């Protein structure tokens, strides 16, 4: 039907053209008017005939643009999928470099450092609350040495091999650490509970001095652990003291350093002299 209509319109246009040619042979006055009428008649016809072709061309362009967009999106998606692992690796390396830098800054001015090593095994979240260190007797590690990282105390060495050692973490039930509260210097003891939290007790019996958010640091009392190292942060007060979370999360342990046990300085006291000795 479309082809037939197009044929009829074409024939009509030819007839009009022939009429115009005949009339042009007899006079120019009527020709210009006739040509104008023919133009008015044929213009819509030409537009109607050309419309399907224009629509078809526009459709082809739209389809082409769609496939190009799909192709570009697939290429961008492939680039994104390739970039995400690289970004994750870069962020991991950044965190590892920051940790190593902090460890280096901590260990450089510290003359008591024995070795730096990585936590390579153990069960920090199990009831044993121990971890395995990638350094042992050959690296100078010995039983009783404290273990720490830049953000706080980790525990102490309880067993050694030639190139490995076992560390008792603060969460171990046998762990005891003398601490002081930063806010007012209140002395206390931090006990392990074989779970994620620590128990804090103080010798003060008339009141509970602990508040949520209080920072507890090593006091140095009794030796082994050097003073002024972060140990825990109070979570909530209890009847007998408080519960606290370790400053260093056991499940996030990476590189640590082993130090010589802290030995408190003993100030010598003067002996009283007898009157006979003064003479």
């Amino acid at each position: 039907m479309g082809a037939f209509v197009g044929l009829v319109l074409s024939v009509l246009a030819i007839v009009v053209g022939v009429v115009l040619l005949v009339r042009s042979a007899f006079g120019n006055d009527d020709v210009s008017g006739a040509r104008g009428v023919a133009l008015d008649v044929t213009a819509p016809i030409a537009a109607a005939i050309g419309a399907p072709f224009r629509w078809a061309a526009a459709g082809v362009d739209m389809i082409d643009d769609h496939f190009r967009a799909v192709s570009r999106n697939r290429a961008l998606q492939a680039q994104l999928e390739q970039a995400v692992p690289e970004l994750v690796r870069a962020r991991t390396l950044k965190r590892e470099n920051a940790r190593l830098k902090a460890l280096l800054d901590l260990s450089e001015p510290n003359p008591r450092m024995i070795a730096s090593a990585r936590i390579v095994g153990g069960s920090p979240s199990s009831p044993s609350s121990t971890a395995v260190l990638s350094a042992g007797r050959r690296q100078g590690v010995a039983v009783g040495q404290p273990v720490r990282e830049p953000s706080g105390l980790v525990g102490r060495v309880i067993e050694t091999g030639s190139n490995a050692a076992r560390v008792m973490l603060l969460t171990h039930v046998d762990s005891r650490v003398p601490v002081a509260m930063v806010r007012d210097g209140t002395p206390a003891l931090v006990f392990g509970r074989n779970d994620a939290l620590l128990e804090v007790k103080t010798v003060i019996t008339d009141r509970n001095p602990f508040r949520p958010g209080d920072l507890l640091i090593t006091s140095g009392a009794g030796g082994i652990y050097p003073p002024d190292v972060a140990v825990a942060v109070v979570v909530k007060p209890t009847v007998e003291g408080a519960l606290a979370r370790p400053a260093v999360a056991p499940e996030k342990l990476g590189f640590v350093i082993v130090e010589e046990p802290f030995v408190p300085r003993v100030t010598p006291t003067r002996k009283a002299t007898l009157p006979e000795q003064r003479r």
Side-chain angles (χ1 to χ4, degrees):
M1 180 63 68
F4 177 74
V5 172
L7 178 61
V8 171
L9 294 176
S10 300
V11 171
L12 179 61
I14 293 172
V15 171
V16 172
V18 171
V19 172
L20 292 175
L21 289 174
V22 172
R23 289 178 63 87
S24 64
F26 299 96
N28 293 328
D29 295 336
D30 297 333
V31 171
S32 59
R35 287 179 178 177
V37 173
L39 181 62
D40 292 336
V41 173
T42 57
I45 296 173
I49 294 174
F53 297 99
R54 291 194 299 271
W55 295 340
V60 171
D61 291 339
M62 290 178 62
I63 295 173
D64 184 60
D65 291 341
H66 171 74
F67 283 106
R68 286 183 180 179
V70 171
S71 178
R72 286 196 297 268
N73 288 337
R74 288 178 179 175
L76 290 174
Q77 183 67 28
Q79 293 176 3
L80 181 60
E81 292 176 355
Q82 183 180 2
V84 168
E86 295 179 357
L87 179 60
V88 172
R89 285 194 295 269
R91 290 181 176 176
T92 302
L93 288 175
K94 183 179 179 179
R95 288 194 298 267
E96 191 71 10
N97 289 338
R99 182 180 290 270
L100 291 175
K101 183 179 183 298
L103 189 65
L104 183 62
D105 292 340
L106 175 65
S107 62
E108 282 181 345
N110 193 342
R112 299 189 306 273
M113 189 187 76
I114 299 298
S116 63
R118 181 190 289 272
I119 297 294
V120 294
S123 51
S125 59
S126 71
S128 63
S129 296
T130 61
V132 177
L133 188 67
S134 64
R137 291 190 297 270
R138 290 184 179 179
Q139 291 76 31
V141 178
V143 173
Q145 293 172 340
V147 180
R148 62 179 293 193
E149 70 156 19
S151 55
L153 188 66
V154 172
R156 61 183 174 90
V157 178
I158 58 173
E159 185 181 358
T160 59
S162 297
N163 296 293
R166 187 174 299 279
V167 178
M168 176 192 292
L169 303 178
L170 299 181
T171 52
H172 196 285
V173 69
D174 294 330
S175 176
R176 305 285 188 275
V177 181
V179 298
M181 189 162 55
V182 172
R183 179 166 51 84
D184 59 7
T186 299
L189 276 177
V190 170
F191 299 83
R193 296 163 24 110
N194 276 354
D195 59 22
L197 295 179
L198 304 171
E199 186 175 0
V200 187
K201 293 184 179 180
T202 178
V203 296
I204 300 176
T205 57
D206 59 337
R207 62 183 179 87
N208 190 330
F210 302 112
R211 303 174 187 171
D214 278 337
L215 175 63
L216 305 174
I217 61 174
T218 53
S219 63
I224 299 181
Y225 301 109
D228 302 327
V229 179
V231 176
V233 178
V234 172
V235 175
K236 67 175 181 178
T238 61
V239 176
E240 298 182 353
L243 293 178
R245 58 176 174 80
V248 181
E251 66 275 9
K252 295 182 180 180
L253 288 175
F255 281 95
V256 297
I257 63 171
V258 182
E259 296 180 336
E260 292 180 356
F262 173 70
V263 179
R265 294 182 180 180
V266 178
T267 304
T269 57
R270 293 184 179 180
K271 294 182 179 180
T273 57
L274 298 175
E276 294 80 3
Q277 292 177 339
R278 292 177 183 176
R279 298 174 186 174

